[in-house]
Amino acid sequence: MKINQFAYVPTNHDQIVKELADIQFLTAQTKKMADPVMLYRQFLLKFFIEKQSLATRTQKVFNLMATPELNAYEYTTTQDTVSKLAFYNVGLQLLGFEVGLDFDLHDPFKSMTEWKLPVADVPDTLNRDQLIDAWYKLLNTRTKFGQTLIDYLAGQGYYHQFFDDEGTLKQPLIFNGKSQAVFDTSKLIRDVVYVEAPLDTDHDGKRDLLKAEIIRPADTEGGLKVPVVFTASPYDQGTNDKQADDMTHDVNKPLTRKEPNNLTYEDVKFDYDHSNLPAPRAVQATSEVAEETFVKTWTYTLNNYFLARGFAVVYSSGIGTKDSDGVRTTGTPDETISATAVIEWLHGDRTAFTNRTDQVGIKAWWSNGNVGMTGRSYLGTLATAAALTGVDGFKTAIVEAGISNYYNYYRENGLVVAPGGFQGEDADVLGEITFSREQSAADYLKIKDTWLAQLKKLTSGQDRQSGSYNKFWDNRNLLKNVNIKADIMLVHGLNDWNVKPLHVYNLRNTLKNEAITQKLVLHQGQHEYLNNFRSVDFTDLANLWLTNKLLDVDNQANQVVPDVLVQDNAEPETWNTYQDWGSDAEVKTISLNDQRFTDLNENQSFNDQLPQDLFKQYVAETHKWQHALFTKSHSKMDKHAIKLVTEPLDQDMIVDGEAKITLRASSSADLGLLSAALVDYGDEKRLTAVPQVLAAQKIITGYNWRKDDLKEFLPEPKVSAYKKFTDAHMNMQNRTNNYKSDDLKAGQYYNFEMAFQPTFWRLLKGHQLGIIIYATDMDYTIRGNQNITYSVDLGASQIELPLLAGNANNR
C-alpha cells in the first residue's frame, strides 16, 4: 500500500493558524491555549463533532491508543508533553489504520514511511506551534481509504454541524488551497434550460436548441455566484445500443488495392463554414426561474464531489440528442459549437430559454462566469475541442482520455483500424449510438428522413474502403485550428487501446506552443477514470486545480501540480514526476539484424493466411491469437510473424515517448499491410489494466452525499511471461503519408517508417525487449486472411528507441 500525495500546498505557520480558524478547529478560546497537551485534547474532542455529547466524544478519544500503555484520553490528562510518537500513533488511527493489523504502536513511522504518508518536520516533543502545524498536516493527509482526513471529516458531518450558524463558515471555504464541502447537498437546485446554438444541423430553418441540465447550490438563491463544472456527454440522454450493434461493419473481408494518386494536403483540406444561419429567436419575455427540473440517472463522481464544494455542475448532450435539436455529426466543429454555446450562455454571452416554444429567455444569473470542463473519452474530446476555440469564460479543462484527431481513432496510416474492444465500429456507428432523438417517437418521426440522409453521409465520408485521410477526416481533426486560452490538465492511460496514447501525445506537443499552463497525468490503466484511486490524490489535484482556475484562488496550483506525473508499470502504486514526456530521452537507433537480437523463428518472411479453422478460432477468441503471436515458445503463429528478442537487459530500460521502426519490406501482392509490436518479456505479476475495487463505497464526497468505490491497479494474481506495451500499423500503399496512395509492386522492396503509440514503459533488468513484425491484427485491422507473403530485409531495417536516463523523482 502506497498513498502518494502530490496536491499538498506547503503552508507557513501564520497561514495555518488562519485556516484552522476558518474551519473552526481553532476558536477564540483555543487560540489562547498555551499548553500543547490541553490544545491537543481539544483538537481530538473537536474531531468527533461537537453536536455529539462531551461524554460520547470523550469515549471516542478514550478508544484511541497513544502509547502501548495509555489511551489518548489518559495521555492528554496525565502527560505534561505531546510526543511525536504519541501524536502519530493517534493520527494513524484517525486516518483509519488499525493497531496491530496495520502498524505497531512502538514505531508508527516505519509504516508511514512504507505507505509514503507525510510526517510533519517537528521534534520528538511538540510545543504549541509545532502541534498546530502537525495537526494541520494530519488533516491534509490521506486516509487508508484515499481521502484527506478533512474530506473524511466533512463526510461525517463536521462542516454540517455549523450549517445552522449563518456566517460561521465562509463560502467558499478554502483549506490548503482546496475548496471544502461546506454546501448542503440536500438542498441542491436542479434546472433545465434550452440554449440556442449558432447551428442548424437538422436544416429545419431554425437554430438548434440544446437541452442543458443544471445542478447548483441553494445558496445561489441568496445571491452567491458560483463557478461551473460542465460535462458535455453525448451519451447522457440515452444511447441506441441495439441499432448501433446492428450497424457494426464486417471486418472479415479482404484488404483492397488503392488506385495510386499524387494527392497533396490541399486536396484533402476541409474548410468549415457555418455562416449561412437562420436568424436567432426573438426573446419575447424573460424569467429568472426555470420551468423544468430533472432526476439525474448518471453522474460523474468528480462532479458530485465539487457540488458539495460550491460549484455548479452542468450536463448537456448536444446536437442530435433527446430533447435537443439537430443531428449527430461525430466529431465535426458543429459538435464543438454545441458545447461552446453552453459555455457562452454560462458566461453571459448567449441566449437560453425556459422551454422550447415560448421564447422566454433566462440568464445564468447564478454563475460567476468561470467554466471548467470534465469528462473522459467522448466527454473529454468535447472538452478539448471547446478549449481549442478560445471561447470566453472557459478557464480550464480536465481532459481524461480525449480524442485529438478522429482519424487517429478510427484509422492509422491508411488502414481502417478499430478502437480497442470495438471491432467494426466507425464514425457512423458512433453517430447512431448517440442519436438519442430516436428515443422520442414523435420527434424521431419528424426528423427520421433527415437523420437517415445524415447517416449515409457519415458512412460514405468515412470511406472504409480506402482508409485514407480525406476531407471527412480533416473536418474532424481538432488540432487544425488552435486558439486556446484555458489551462489544461490531461489524463490518459498508457494501456488505453480505445483512445490510444497518440491522442494525448499530439495534443500535449501542440499545446507546448501556446501561452498556457498544461499538466499531464499518465496512468497504467486502460480507458479509466482516476478520481477514486488509493495510490494517487487525483481528486485533490483536481480540487487544487479548479479552485485556482475557477475561483481565482492563489493556491500555487501551477507550481504544486507536477508537470508530468507517471505511474510506474513495474512497481505497484508508485508515481514519478518528470519535466516532460518524450523530450528528455536519448534516441538509440539499432539495426534489426544487430547481434543483440535473436530471430526466434529464424525467418525473414511470413505468410499472412491462416488455415480456415484456425482463422475462425482466432476471430472468435482473439486472446488466443495474441498468445500465439507474442509467446516466445513455438506456436501456431510462428510462420505468420517475425519475432526478434534481445538478450536479457543488464539494467532497467525506460522507453519514453514515440519509438519508430523502419522496415525494408515487400509484399507478394500489389497490396498489403504491416503491423509491429514492442513486447516486454519477463516473468512478472504485472499490473492489471482494469482497476480492482479495494473497498466498496468507502469514498464519501460530502455529508449524506454520493459515495464511490476505492480502486487501484493491482498486480495480477498470476505471473505472466510477456506484455505488449505499444504497437503500430500501416497500409503499405500509404508509406508517404496517410492521404497519398503510393503504388506497390509485388515482390519489390520499399521502406516503411511507422511510429509506435507513444508510451512510458520500464523494462526491468533481466527482461527482454521483443519486436514482433506481422500483418493482420485480429483486434484492430481488417481481417482478410489473404494469401500474401511479406518479406523483411532485417539488415536494412532498424528501430529507434527513445530511452530515458534515470532522472525521475520517485514517490
Side-chain angles (χ1 to χ4, degrees), residues 50 59 62 86 123 129 144 219 344 365 408 417 487 515 530 537 555 563 585 624 637 681 693 707 792 796 810:
E50 289 177 303
Q59 181 60 48
F62 191 94
D129 288 353
K144 186 176 181 178
D219 308 81
E344 288 172 327
W365 48 266
N408 293 333
V417 296
D487 292 339
L530 200 60
D537 52 337
N555 59 9
D563 289 334
K624 291 184 177 179
M637 284 297 295
Y681 287 105
V693 175
K707 297 180 180 181
V792 179
N810 185 279

mmCIF file of all heavy atoms in Angstrom, residues 50 59 62 86 123 129 144 219 344 365 408 417 487 515 530 537 555 563 585 624 637 681 693 707 792 796 810:
data_model
loop_
_atom_site.group_PDB
_atom_site.id
_atom_site.type_symbol
_atom_site.label_atom_id
_atom_site.label_comp_id
_atom_site.label_asym_id
_atom_site.label_seq_id
_atom_site.Cartn_x
_atom_site.Cartn_y
_atom_site.Cartn_z
ATOM 1 N N GLU A 50 -18.835 18.262 17.578
ATOM 2 C CA GLU A 50 -19.334 18.804 18.834
ATOM 3 C C GLU A 50 -20.839 18.704 19.018
ATOM 4 O O GLU A 50 -21.333 18.947 20.110
ATOM 5 C CB GLU A 50 -18.873 20.255 18.975
ATOM 6 C CG GLU A 50 -17.378 20.377 19.236
ATOM 7 C CD GLU A 50 -16.897 21.801 19.302
ATOM 8 O OE1 GLU A 50 -17.100 22.535 18.320
ATOM 9 O OE2 GLU A 50 -16.317 22.174 20.322
ATOM 10 N N GLN A 59 -15.465 9.312 25.061
ATOM 11 C CA GLN A 59 -15.337 7.866 24.890
ATOM 12 C C GLN A 59 -14.603 7.536 23.591
ATOM 13 O O GLN A 59 -13.783 6.613 23.538
ATOM 14 C CB GLN A 59 -16.719 7.204 24.896
ATOM 15 C CG GLN A 59 -16.692 5.688 24.754
ATOM 16 C CD GLN A 59 -15.923 5.013 25.879
ATOM 17 O OE1 GLN A 59 -16.148 5.321 27.050
ATOM 18 N NE2 GLN A 59 -15.015 4.103 25.539
ATOM 19 N N PHE A 62 -11.087 8.115 24.142
ATOM 20 C CA PHE A 62 -10.645 7.038 25.028
ATOM 21 C C PHE A 62 -10.325 5.766 24.238
ATOM 22 O O PHE A 62 -9.447 4.983 24.626
ATOM 23 C CB PHE A 62 -11.752 6.746 26.053
ATOM 24 C CG PHE A 62 -11.342 5.854 27.183
ATOM 25 C CD1 PHE A 62 -10.894 6.385 28.391
ATOM 26 C CD2 PHE A 62 -11.411 4.461 27.065
ATOM 27 C CE1 PHE A 62 -10.507 5.553 29.442
ATOM 28 C CE2 PHE A 62 -11.035 3.637 28.113
ATOM 29 C CZ PHE A 62 -10.583 4.177 29.296
ATOM 30 N N ALA A 86 3.408 9.638 20.105
ATOM 31 C CA ALA A 86 2.003 9.553 20.508
ATOM 32 C C ALA A 86 1.101 10.241 19.488
ATOM 33 O O ALA A 86 0.011 9.745 19.156
ATOM 34 C CB ALA A 86 1.818 10.172 21.892
ATOM 35 N N PRO A 123 10.101 18.213 16.206
ATOM 36 C CA PRO A 123 10.953 17.416 17.096
ATOM 37 C C PRO A 123 10.167 16.322 17.812
ATOM 38 O O PRO A 123 8.946 16.214 17.658
ATOM 39 C CB PRO A 123 11.501 18.461 18.072
ATOM 40 C CG PRO A 123 10.481 19.548 18.077
ATOM 41 C CD PRO A 123 9.929 19.598 16.685
ATOM 42 N N ASP A 129 3.011 25.573 18.873
ATOM 43 C CA ASP A 129 3.002 25.904 17.449
ATOM 44 C C ASP A 129 3.287 24.673 16.592
ATOM 45 O O ASP A 129 2.706 24.498 15.518
ATOM 46 C CB ASP A 129 4.028 27.000 17.158
ATOM 47 C CG ASP A 129 3.587 28.360 17.686
ATOM 48 O OD1 ASP A 129 2.431 28.469 18.156
ATOM 49 O OD2 ASP A 129 4.400 29.298 17.635
ATOM 50 N N LYS A 144 -6.642 5.803 5.015
ATOM 51 C CA LYS A 144 -6.497 4.448 4.483
ATOM 52 C C LYS A 144 -7.386 4.245 3.261
ATOM 53 O O LYS A 144 -7.108 3.404 2.409
ATOM 54 C CB LYS A 144 -6.853 3.433 5.575
ATOM 55 C CG LYS A 144 -6.619 1.978 5.204
ATOM 56 C CD LYS A 144 -6.918 1.073 6.388
ATOM 57 C CE LYS A 144 -6.666 -0.394 6.045
ATOM 58 N NZ LYS A 144 -6.910 -1.279 7.223
ATOM 59 N N ASP A 219 -27.590 28.045 -2.113
ATOM 60 C CA ASP A 219 -27.062 29.348 -1.690
ATOM 61 C C ASP A 219 -27.059 30.362 -2.828
ATOM 62 O O ASP A 219 -27.005 31.571 -2.586
ATOM 63 C CB ASP A 219 -25.647 29.175 -1.152
ATOM 64 C CG ASP A 219 -25.563 28.091 -0.095
ATOM 65 O OD1 ASP A 219 -25.491 26.905 -0.479
ATOM 66 O OD2 ASP A 219 -25.573 28.410 1.096
ATOM 67 N N GLU A 344 -20.909 29.757 -23.539
ATOM 68 C CA GLU A 344 -21.221 31.168 -23.784
ATOM 69 C C GLU A 344 -22.422 31.600 -22.958
ATOM 70 O O GLU A 344 -22.452 32.718 -22.417
ATOM 71 C CB GLU A 344 -21.473 31.381 -25.279
ATOM 72 C CG GLU A 344 -20.207 31.298 -26.116
ATOM 73 C CD GLU A 344 -20.484 31.313 -27.607
ATOM 74 O OE1 GLU A 344 -21.534 30.782 -28.032
ATOM 75 O OE2 GLU A 344 -19.645 31.846 -28.339
ATOM 76 N N TRP A 365 -27.780 33.666 -14.151
ATOM 77 C CA TRP A 365 -27.508 34.758 -13.214
ATOM 78 C C TRP A 365 -26.757 34.293 -11.965
ATOM 79 O O TRP A 365 -26.162 35.087 -11.241
ATOM 80 C CB TRP A 365 -28.828 35.430 -12.807
ATOM 81 C CG TRP A 365 -29.895 34.448 -12.390
ATOM 82 C CD1 TRP A 365 -30.867 33.927 -13.183
ATOM 83 C CD2 TRP A 365 -30.061 33.870 -11.097
ATOM 84 N NE1 TRP A 365 -31.656 33.041 -12.473
ATOM 85 C CE2 TRP A 365 -31.176 32.990 -11.189
ATOM 86 C CE3 TRP A 365 -29.393 33.980 -9.881
ATOM 87 C CZ2 TRP A 365 -31.631 32.240 -10.107
ATOM 88 C CZ3 TRP A 365 -29.836 33.234 -8.802
ATOM 89 C CH2 TRP A 365 -30.947 32.377 -8.919
ATOM 90 N N ASN A 408 -7.149 9.391 -36.211
ATOM 91 C CA ASN A 408 -6.290 8.517 -35.415
ATOM 92 C C ASN A 408 -7.076 7.627 -34.465
ATOM 93 O O ASN A 408 -6.491 6.751 -33.818
ATOM 94 C CB ASN A 408 -5.283 9.348 -34.623
ATOM 95 C CG ASN A 408 -4.287 10.041 -35.518
ATOM 96 O OD1 ASN A 408 -4.001 9.578 -36.618
ATOM 97 N ND2 ASN A 408 -3.765 11.176 -35.062
ATOM 98 N N VAL A 417 -8.765 0.893 -38.793
ATOM 99 C CA VAL A 417 -8.485 0.194 -37.540
ATOM 100 C C VAL A 417 -9.621 0.461 -36.559
ATOM 101 O O VAL A 417 -10.391 1.410 -36.725
ATOM 102 C CB VAL A 417 -7.146 0.634 -36.906
ATOM 103 C CG1 VAL A 417 -5.976 0.265 -37.792
ATOM 104 C CG2 VAL A 417 -7.145 2.118 -36.602
ATOM 105 N N ASP A 487 -6.058 26.935 -19.334
ATOM 106 C CA ASP A 487 -5.072 25.987 -18.843
ATOM 107 C C ASP A 487 -5.683 24.580 -18.857
ATOM 108 O O ASP A 487 -6.885 24.417 -18.646
ATOM 109 C CB ASP A 487 -4.631 26.354 -17.427
ATOM 110 C CG ASP A 487 -3.843 27.653 -17.387
ATOM 111 O OD1 ASP A 487 -3.300 28.041 -18.441
ATOM 112 O OD2 ASP A 487 -3.781 28.286 -16.313
ATOM 113 N N ALA A 515 0.578 29.821 -25.011
ATOM 114 C CA ALA A 515 0.885 30.538 -23.762
ATOM 115 C C ALA A 515 -0.097 30.131 -22.667
ATOM 116 O O ALA A 515 -0.858 30.950 -22.127
ATOM 117 C CB ALA A 515 0.838 32.040 -23.994
ATOM 118 N N LEU A 530 -9.802 8.202 -12.926
ATOM 119 C CA LEU A 530 -8.711 8.084 -11.960
ATOM 120 C C LEU A 530 -9.047 8.726 -10.617
ATOM 121 O O LEU A 530 -8.217 8.765 -9.729
ATOM 122 C CB LEU A 530 -7.453 8.747 -12.554
ATOM 123 C CG LEU A 530 -6.086 8.383 -11.979
ATOM 124 C CD1 LEU A 530 -5.811 6.894 -12.136
ATOM 125 C CD2 LEU A 530 -4.997 9.192 -12.662
ATOM 126 N N ASP A 537 -3.515 11.080 -5.283
ATOM 127 C CA ASP A 537 -4.554 12.005 -4.824
ATOM 128 C C ASP A 537 -5.114 12.819 -5.987
ATOM 129 O O ASP A 537 -5.087 14.052 -5.974
ATOM 130 C CB ASP A 537 -4.007 12.921 -3.729
ATOM 131 C CG ASP A 537 -2.715 13.639 -4.118
ATOM 132 O OD1 ASP A 537 -2.009 13.148 -5.013
ATOM 133 O OD2 ASP A 537 -2.424 14.689 -3.523
ATOM 134 N N ASN A 555 -3.418 29.576 -4.984
ATOM 135 C CA ASN A 555 -3.068 28.419 -4.150
ATOM 136 C C ASN A 555 -1.835 27.666 -4.649
ATOM 137 O O ASN A 555 -1.621 26.504 -4.274
ATOM 138 C CB ASN A 555 -4.261 27.458 -4.043
ATOM 139 C CG ASN A 555 -4.706 26.952 -5.408
ATOM 140 O OD1 ASN A 555 -4.038 27.164 -6.428
ATOM 141 N ND2 ASN A 555 -5.847 26.267 -5.450
ATOM 142 N N ASP A 563 4.362 18.781 -13.440
ATOM 143 C CA ASP A 563 4.212 18.971 -14.883
ATOM 144 C C ASP A 563 3.821 17.664 -15.552
ATOM 145 O O ASP A 563 2.918 17.634 -16.397
ATOM 146 C CB ASP A 563 5.515 19.501 -15.490
ATOM 147 C CG ASP A 563 5.792 20.941 -15.091
ATOM 148 O OD1 ASP A 563 4.831 21.671 -14.788
ATOM 149 O OD2 ASP A 563 6.970 21.334 -15.074
ATOM 150 N N ALA A 585 14.488 12.005 -23.657
ATOM 151 C CA ALA A 585 15.080 10.699 -23.943
ATOM 152 C C ALA A 585 16.167 10.824 -25.006
ATOM 153 O O ALA A 585 16.149 11.716 -25.857
ATOM 154 C CB ALA A 585 14.005 9.732 -24.408
ATOM 155 N N LYS A 624 -6.475 -15.829 -27.791
ATOM 156 C CA LYS A 624 -5.659 -16.977 -28.178
ATOM 157 C C LYS A 624 -4.706 -16.587 -29.313
ATOM 158 O O LYS A 624 -3.557 -17.038 -29.352
ATOM 159 C CB LYS A 624 -6.542 -18.148 -28.589
ATOM 160 C CG LYS A 624 -7.321 -18.754 -27.421
ATOM 161 C CD LYS A 624 -8.107 -19.989 -27.852
ATOM 162 C CE LYS A 624 -8.805 -20.620 -26.645
ATOM 163 N NZ LYS A 624 -9.587 -21.811 -27.038
ATOM 164 N N MET A 637 1.468 -19.347 -34.672
ATOM 165 C CA MET A 637 1.736 -18.100 -35.386
ATOM 166 C C MET A 637 3.189 -17.984 -35.813
ATOM 167 O O MET A 637 3.596 -16.961 -36.374
ATOM 168 C CB MET A 637 1.364 -16.902 -34.500
ATOM 169 C CG MET A 637 -0.133 -16.644 -34.388
ATOM 170 S SD MET A 637 -0.916 -16.206 -35.973
ATOM 171 C CE MET A 637 -0.123 -14.638 -36.306
ATOM 172 N N TYR A 681 9.293 -8.956 -22.321
ATOM 173 C CA TYR A 681 9.358 -10.367 -21.943
ATOM 174 C C TYR A 681 10.050 -10.515 -20.594
ATOM 175 O O TYR A 681 11.134 -9.967 -20.375
ATOM 176 C CB TYR A 681 10.113 -11.180 -22.990
ATOM 177 C CG TYR A 681 9.344 -11.390 -24.275
ATOM 178 C CD1 TYR A 681 9.673 -10.681 -25.428
ATOM 179 C CD2 TYR A 681 8.283 -12.283 -24.336
ATOM 180 C CE1 TYR A 681 8.977 -10.870 -26.611
ATOM 181 C CE2 TYR A 681 7.567 -12.481 -25.512
ATOM 182 C CZ TYR A 681 7.930 -11.770 -26.644
ATOM 183 O OH TYR A 681 7.225 -11.959 -27.808
ATOM 184 N N VAL A 693 -11.455 -3.160 -7.166
ATOM 185 C CA VAL A 693 -12.101 -2.497 -6.031
ATOM 186 C C VAL A 693 -11.417 -2.939 -4.744
ATOM 187 O O VAL A 693 -11.378 -4.130 -4.432
ATOM 188 C CB VAL A 693 -13.602 -2.817 -5.988
ATOM 189 C CG1 VAL A 693 -14.238 -2.211 -4.731
ATOM 190 C CG2 VAL A 693 -14.305 -2.283 -7.235
ATOM 191 N N LYS A 707 -21.397 8.329 -2.805
ATOM 192 C CA LYS A 707 -20.215 7.564 -2.428
ATOM 193 C C LYS A 707 -19.592 6.940 -3.668
ATOM 194 O O LYS A 707 -20.202 6.859 -4.726
ATOM 195 C CB LYS A 707 -20.595 6.467 -1.429
ATOM 196 C CG LYS A 707 -21.146 6.986 -0.104
ATOM 197 C CD LYS A 707 -21.503 5.834 0.828
ATOM 198 C CE LYS A 707 -22.057 6.351 2.153
ATOM 199 N NZ LYS A 707 -22.393 5.234 3.075
ATOM 200 N N VAL A 792 10.944 -9.204 -45.081
ATOM 201 C CA VAL A 792 11.598 -8.053 -44.450
ATOM 202 C C VAL A 792 13.109 -8.248 -44.519
ATOM 203 O O VAL A 792 13.624 -9.303 -44.119
ATOM 204 C CB VAL A 792 11.155 -7.893 -42.979
ATOM 205 C CG1 VAL A 792 11.866 -6.701 -42.330
ATOM 206 C CG2 VAL A 792 9.643 -7.720 -42.881
ATOM 207 N N ALA A 796 18.485 -4.107 -43.513
ATOM 208 C CA ALA A 796 18.190 -2.749 -43.972
ATOM 209 C C ALA A 796 17.055 -2.123 -43.167
ATOM 210 O O ALA A 796 16.511 -1.092 -43.548
ATOM 211 C CB ALA A 796 17.834 -2.766 -45.454
ATOM 212 N N ASN A 810 11.185 9.658 -7.593
ATOM 213 C CA ASN A 810 10.332 8.511 -7.252
ATOM 214 C C ASN A 810 9.492 8.820 -6.022
ATOM 215 O O ASN A 810 9.993 9.289 -5.023
ATOM 216 C CB ASN A 810 11.201 7.284 -7.012
ATOM 217 C CG ASN A 810 10.363 6.036 -6.781
ATOM 218 O OD1 ASN A 810 9.872 5.814 -5.695
ATOM 219 N ND2 ASN A 810 10.197 5.242 -7.818
#
